[in-house]
Amino acid sequence: MTPPPFSTVIRTASHAQHTEAENSAFMSDLLSGRLGVAAYARYTEQLWFVYRALEDGARALSDDPVAGPFLKTELLRVAALERDLDHLLGPGWQSRTAPLPATARYAARLTEVAASWPAGYVAHHYTRYLGDLSGGQIVRDIAEKTWGFQRKGDGVRFYVFETIANPAAFKRDYRRLLDDLAADELERQRVVDECLDAFALNTAIFAALAQAFALPA
């Protein structure tokens, strides 16, 4: 019996965690409009810390045979996040921001795997960027309608991949890279486990944000 492609394995294994993250109390309240734009700005701020770690870590991996093929410049998000935060928080926002403890833990793990385990870095790369290309577009659409951002403009540029003309084709090509990941079965299982950890780290940020923006019962 032919084993399923690795992209299918990793997507199936993480389905429950993916659903949990999508349906977290914070995201549900944010996307339903029950939370204000300040919560959206705080979430965007936390993403900046995560993506700085993710993209800083990529610099040493460009020639790595395992992680290197995944490092597409079309995916880079830090510049877009900074433009969004200029719009959301105003000039000098960098001096007024700080990562939540959950965010700091996530960023530290990204830095760790980038420095010591390229295949583990791929697990986080996949979890973040393919999510941005998929469910992230729903967040953008709702944010535009809820807070009046210009379509694909400042405030939601994080979700706009201007140099990816065909997101569906891009995701198919990305999944082929996953299928061809240079790793044996034991290493692939470790990658799956790291993907689950990535979802858990992300969900922990949602939990912290939910506490910070708790609504009255």
Side-chain angles (χ1 to χ4, degrees):
M1 196 173 168
T2 304
F6 185 54
S7 59
T8 300
V9 171
I10 200 169
R11 185 173 69 250
T12 302
S14 61
H15 176 73
Q17 287 78 6
H18 192 177
T19 301
E20 179 184 2
E22 286 182 335
N23 296 320
S24 68
F26 175 77
M27 288 305 292
S28 295
D29 288 340
L30 187 71
L31 298 181
S32 69
R34 297 181 69 208
L35 295 177
V37 70
Y40 176 78
R42 183 72 162 145
Y43 172 52
T44 304
E45 173 193 277
Q46 298 307 301
L47 288 175
W48 179 66
F49 290 104
V50 170
Y51 279 84
R52 275 207 313 170
L54 185 65
E55 294 178 8
D56 285 351
R59 293 172 186 166
L61 293 169
S62 59
D63 295 325
D64 183 84
V66 175
F70 293 87
L71 305 181
K72 311 294 187 182
T73 58
E74 303 97 307
L75 293 171
L76 297 177
R77 297 289 88 201
V78 168
L81 281 164
E82 290 177 346
R83 189 163 173 179
D84 285 340
L85 289 166
D86 286 341
H87 179 76
L88 291 164
L89 300 178
W93 56 266
Q94 292 92 335
S95 65
R96 304 191 301 272
T97 62
L100 295 164
T103 305
R105 287 192 294 273
Y106 196 169
R109 182 55 180 167
L110 290 168
T111 299
E112 180 182 11
V113 294
S116 62
W117 182 28
Y121 179 88
V122 168
H124 290 273
H125 193 276
Y126 158 78
T127 303
R128 292 269 24 136
Y129 290 117
L130 254 63
D132 300 334
L133 279 167
S134 300
Q137 302 313 302
I138 298 171
V139 178
R140 176 185 63 78
D141 183 62
I142 293 174
E144 289 168 353
K145 293 174 181 176
T146 302
W147 296 297
F149 300 125
Q150 181 181 352
R151 187 174 184 273
K152 297 186 177 182
D154 291 345
V156 293
R157 291 187 182 277
F158 169 70
Y159 303 102
V160 180
F161 293 81
E162 293 180 341
T163 58
I164 298 179
N166 188 333
F170 187 95
K171 287 186 284 187
R172 283 195 299 271
D173 291 341
Y174 191 104
R175 291 185 183 106
R176 290 190 193 102
L177 288 175
L178 277 177
D179 295 339
D180 295 336
L181 186 72
D184 61 22
E185 288 305 310
L186 180 60
E187 181 73 342
R188 288 186 173 208
Q189 184 55 54
R190 292 183 66 214
V191 170
V192 170
D193 292 342
E194 189 67 22
C195 180
L196 301 184
D197 289 343
F199 275 108
L201 288 164
N202 190 58
T203 301
I205 294 177
F206 291 154
L209 288 167
Q211 186 173 12
F213 292 94
L215 292 168

